[in-house]
Amino acid sequence: MRTRPGRRDEVVALLLGNQEGLRSAGCELYAVGTSPSEPDLVWVQEVWLSKAHHDASLELPDTRAAIAAAMPMLTGEFTGQEIDIVGGLGIAESADAADPAAAGPEHQPWAAG
Amino acid sequence: MRTRPGRRDEVVALLLGNQEGLRSAGCELYAVGTSPSEPDLVWVQEVWLSKAHHDASLELPDTRAAIAAAMPMLTGEFTGQEIDIVGGLGIAESADAADPAAAGPEHQPWAAG
């Protein structure tokens, strides 16, 4: 996402403000980063137990408050990619289930970045 | 990355073949995923202790062998984004150092996806 000039660090602080809430909502990774080349860009890589966990998290009061606080500092330029995780290093055992396809989408590890 | 038609699962298997090697090279996350909408796309989200760790890993024999094996199955279409991680959930303590900027780039958590 792109922030209005000079607001990047405030947006980063907001994004980093509720990590325990993310964890309890089913988030396995929430890596907030900046660009070496563009000072107003913020990147977030997320890994969730499932897309359903992610979608539900957007309704949490803390999440809604953080989004509302961040919006005026953003230009509206967003890019993103959703993926179905099929395996890898650093994915929690609970997310890296043996056969998520058989278990249904609520058990399919899911990521955005 | 985009694979030649029908080769996606072989590429995924190659990418998942050396997780312990990745870990010992300084990789914290290596999440391999597929697209819900495009059957020949493979996405990899990576988090490393530093960009230097990532770059060094590309010279490892196992990595070079996996790249060589995968190349004929790929179309050559790649996209990617490198970011400097400033914090977040699920980043190892060793990577999520208090002040990586002061410690120098070899201690700056780094991600690609």
Side-chain angles (χ1 to χ4, degrees), chain A residues 31-55:
Chain A
V32 178
T34 56
S35 166
S37 57
E38 296 204 55
D40 297 321
L41 284 189
V42 178
W43 294 90
V44 182
Q45 287 187 332
E46 306 172 49
V47 175
W48 292 80
L49 293 174
S50 72
K51 178 164 169 43
H53 284 86
H54 169 265
D55 293 352

Side-chain angles (χ1 to χ4, degrees), chain A:
Chain A
M1 67 190 81
R2 188 180 295 278
T3 71
R4 297 190 188 282
R7 311 303 294 271
R8 182 190 74 183
D9 291 351
E10 292 167 86
V11 171
V12 165
L14 271 173
L15 293 171
L16 294 176
N18 184 27
Q19 294 181 38
E20 283 311 309
L22 288 169
R23 188 190 305 271
S24 60
C27 187
E28 296 288 326
L29 176 84
Y30 193 86
V32 178
T34 56
S35 166
S37 57
E38 296 204 55
D40 297 321
L41 284 189
V42 178
W43 294 90
V44 182
Q45 287 187 332
E46 306 172 49
V47 175
W48 292 80
L49 293 174
S50 72
K51 178 164 169 43
H53 284 86
H54 169 265
D55 293 352
S57 79
L58 297 179
E59 302 303 322
L60 296 173
D62 285 349
T63 305
R64 294 171 63 101
I67 292 171
M71 286 300 281
M73 295 189 274
L74 304 176
T75 64
E77 179 187 325
F78 283 92
T79 61
Q81 180 62 46
E82 301 182 4
I83 66 175
D84 296 326
I85 295 181
V86 293
L89 171 71
I91 312 296
E93 291 300 313
S94 52
D96 194 20
D99 190 355
E106 70 275 22
H107 297 290
Q108 168 74 56
W110 180 89

Side-chain angles (χ1 to χ4, degrees), chain B residues 53-78:
Chain B
H53 284 86
H54 169 266
D55 293 351
S57 78
L58 297 179
E59 302 304 321
L60 296 174
D62 285 350
T63 305
R64 294 171 63 101
I67 292 171
M71 286 300 282
M73 295 190 274
L74 303 177
T75 65
E77 179 187 325
F78 282 92

Side-chain angles (χ1 to χ4, degrees), chain B residues 1 10-19 22 30 32 42 44:
Chain B
M1 66 189 83
E10 292 167 87
V11 171
V12 165
L14 271 173
L15 293 171
L16 294 177
N18 184 27
Q19 295 180 38
L22 289 169
Y30 193 85
V32 178
V42 179
V44 182

Side-chain angles (χ1 to χ4, degrees), chain B residues 16-93:
Chain B
L16 294 177
N18 184 27
Q19 295 180 38
E20 283 311 309
L22 289 169
R23 189 192 303 272
S24 60
C27 186
E28 296 288 325
L29 175 85
Y30 193 85
V32 178
T34 57
S35 166
S37 56
E38 295 204 56
D40 297 321
L41 285 188
V42 179
W43 294 90
V44 182
Q45 287 188 332
E46 306 172 48
V47 175
W48 292 80
L49 292 176
S50 71
K51 178 163 169 46
H53 284 86
H54 169 266
D55 293 351
S57 78
L58 297 179
E59 302 304 321
L60 296 174
D62 285 350
T63 305
R64 294 171 63 101
I67 292 171
M71 286 300 282
M73 295 190 274
L74 303 177
T75 65
E77 179 187 325
F78 282 92
T79 60
Q81 180 62 46
E82 302 182 3
I83 66 175
D84 296 325
I85 295 181
V86 293
L89 170 71
I91 312 296
E93 292 299 315

